Amino acid sequence: MSALNLDDFAHLIERPDGGARRDAEERRARLALPPGALGRLDELGEWLAATQRQVPVRPLERARVLLFAGDHGVAELNVSGRPAKGTKDLVRAALEGTSPAAVLARGAGAGLRVIDMAVDCDPGELPADVTRYRVRRGSGRIDIEDALTAEEAEAAFRAGMAVADEEADAGTDLVVLGDLSVGGTTAASALIAALCGTDASVVTGRGGAGIDDLAWMRKCAAIRDALRRARPVLGDQLALLATTGGADLAAITGFLLQSAVRRTPVILDGVVSAACALVAQRVAFRAPDWWLAGQLSGEPAQAKALDRIALNPLLDHGVAAGEGTGALLALPLVRAAADLAAQLPVRD
C-alpha cells in the first residue's frame, strides 16, 4: 500500500465547472420568471449545473444517505444524553427503518447505508456489509488519550475514501451525509475549537439527545482537556483526527475529500460532518465547493465551523436529532432546484 499523502488532494480536487455555471445563469435569465423569484433555488440550480457539468441539469434520481457509525470513549464521562456504547442501538434503528433518518430516506426514495467504523459491540451483532470497514471497537477517550493510533487513523481515512469511490462508481448523484455516534459531538466540538482557535465553552453544545447543566459542564471540561492535546498536532490533519477525533470522523473526512475528487456533491448534516468538513478544508481549499450545509442544528460548534468554511445552511428548523436528519430535510429543496432548473421553459 502506498503512503497516504494528504497534499495530493489539493492537486486532485478541481472546482465545479465554471462554464456550466455561467451557462446556467444565462439560461435562468431567459426564463419568464423575474430574477429573484425563486430565491436560493436559482443558486442551487446553478451549483448543480456546475457539479454535473451540463445545462440543463439532470434530475437527482440516485441520492444516497450515508451514516458513518462509531462509539467514543469520552461518552464514559456522561457527556451525552445517550448511554455510553449505545451506538449499536442507533445502527439497528437505522437498519430496521425506525429512526427519523430512515423514515425520511424512505419517503424521499433515497437508499440508506450504514458504515460501522468503531461501534463498541461484537461485529457479529451487525450485518457483515455494515462492519466490513470497522477499524476498532470504540475510539479512545480523547481527554486523556488518543482516539486512534496513527495506523488506525489512516485505515479509517482510507475506508472513507473507498466508500466515496464505491458510491461514485455506483452512479450516486448526491450524498446525504450523517453520523451515528454517542460522544461524537464532543469529539467534533474539540476539533472545531482547535481549528478555529477558540475556547471550549464557546463550542460546547447539548448534543442531539440533550443534556442538563451538570453534563454540559463535564462535556466542556472534556473538550478543554482534549483541546490541550490537539493543539500540538494542528499542522498535521491526520494526526489531529487520531488525537482528538475518532474512526468515524477520520472516515468522514476521507470520504468528503475523495467525493470532491470524484465530483460527487454532498449535503452535510450536523456538527460531526461540519467538523470533518473543516478538517478537509485545511487539506484542500477547493473541496467545500462540492458541499452544501443542510441545516443549522443549534450546536454552537457547527455554526462556527460553517462560518469558517463559508457555507450558508439551507434550513434552520431547530432539528437537533442528528443522524442525517437535518441533511435529509434539505434533500427535497435541492431536488426541487434541480427540477426547476431542468424543466422550466425558456423564452426564445
Side-chain angles (χ1 to χ4, degrees):
M1 183 185 296
S2 60
L4 182 61
N5 184 3
L6 298 190
D7 292 338
D8 290 342
F9 285 104
H11 305 292
L12 292 171
I13 294 173
E14 301 176 352
R15 294 192 189 278
D17 193 308
R21 185 186 290 272
R22 288 188 293 273
D23 291 343
E25 292 172 352
E26 292 173 3
R27 187 178 190 280
R28 173 63 183 92
R30 290 186 284 126
L31 297 183
L33 287 170
L38 294 176
R40 285 195 71 182
L41 293 175
D42 281 336
E43 175 191 333
L44 285 173
E46 292 160 5
W47 176 78
L48 286 168
T51 63
Q52 295 179 3
R53 293 188 284 191
Q54 73 171 56
V55 176
V57 301
R58 297 186 304 274
L60 296 172
E61 297 176 340
R62 303 194 69 175
R64 179 94 144 155
V65 183
L66 297 186
L67 304 177
F68 287 84
D71 281 295
H72 293 261
V74 73
E76 298 171 7
L77 299 174
N78 294 322
V79 296
S80 173
R82 297 187 177 97
K85 304 182 181 181
T87 300
K88 67 179 180 181
D89 295 327
L90 301 178
V91 171
R92 285 172 178 156
L95 296 176
E96 292 168 2
T98 58
S99 70
V103 171
L104 292 176
R106 188 162 57 246
L112 184 146
R113 179 182 180 185
V114 178
I115 304 101
D116 169 13
M117 296 306 305
V119 178
D120 196 349
C121 71
D122 188 284
E125 296 182 52
L126 299 173
D129 62 329
V130 172
T131 62
R132 60 183 289 222
Y133 285 118
R134 178 189 284 198
V135 169
R136 56 182 282 171
R137 283 186 61 157
S139 295
R141 221 183 95 180
I142 58 173
D143 61 320
I144 59 172
E145 63 182 346
D146 289 349
L148 308 166
T149 66
E151 293 76 17
E152 288 167 344
E154 180 170 341
F157 193 97
R158 287 184 182 276
M161 292 173 59
V163 171
D165 284 334
E166 289 168 3
E167 295 300 324
D169 293 341
T172 299
D173 54 18
L174 180 68
V175 169
V176 178
L177 181 63
D179 69 282
L180 299 170
S181 64
V182 178
T185 64
T186 303
S189 299
L191 285 173
I192 292 168
L195 291 171
C196 293
T198 191
D199 294 332
S201 60
V202 176
V203 298
T204 305
R206 298 188 182 262
I211 52 176
D212 60 22
D213 290 346
L214 287 176
W216 183 91
M217 292 170 65
R218 291 193 296 269
K219 183 175 181 177
C220 187
I223 293 172
R224 177 201 63 209
D225 293 341
L227 191 53
R228 291 197 191 105
R229 303 185 66 259
R231 287 181 179 133
V233 295
L234 276 177
D236 184 337
Q237 303 310 304
L238 200 56
L240 179 63
L241 290 166
T243 303
T244 323
D248 48 344
L249 277 74
I252 292 172
T253 306
F255 173 83
L256 284 170
L257 287 165
Q258 187 64 13
S259 289
V261 172
R262 297 298 303 271
R263 307 184 67 88
T264 305
V266 178
I267 305 179
L268 306 176
D269 184 39
V271 64
V272 171
S273 56
C276 298
L278 189 58
V279 177
Q281 183 200 39
R282 293 284 290 261
V283 175
F285 69 95
R286 286 186 287 264
D289 291 350
W290 294 94
W291 313 327
L292 296 172
Q295 71 127 21
L296 278 177
S297 66
E299 285 286 308
Q302 185 213 21
K304 183 165 285 293
L306 294 181
D307 180 67
R308 182 62 62 95
I309 304 170
L311 290 178
N312 185 16
L314 295 175
L315 303 172
D316 184 4
H317 294 326
V319 176
E323 305 173 31
T325 307
L328 266 163
L329 290 173
L331 177 58
L333 191 67
V334 181
R335 277 180 165 164
D339 291 342
L340 289 170
Q343 298 176 32
L344 285 178
V346 296
R347 295 173 294 186
D348 292 335

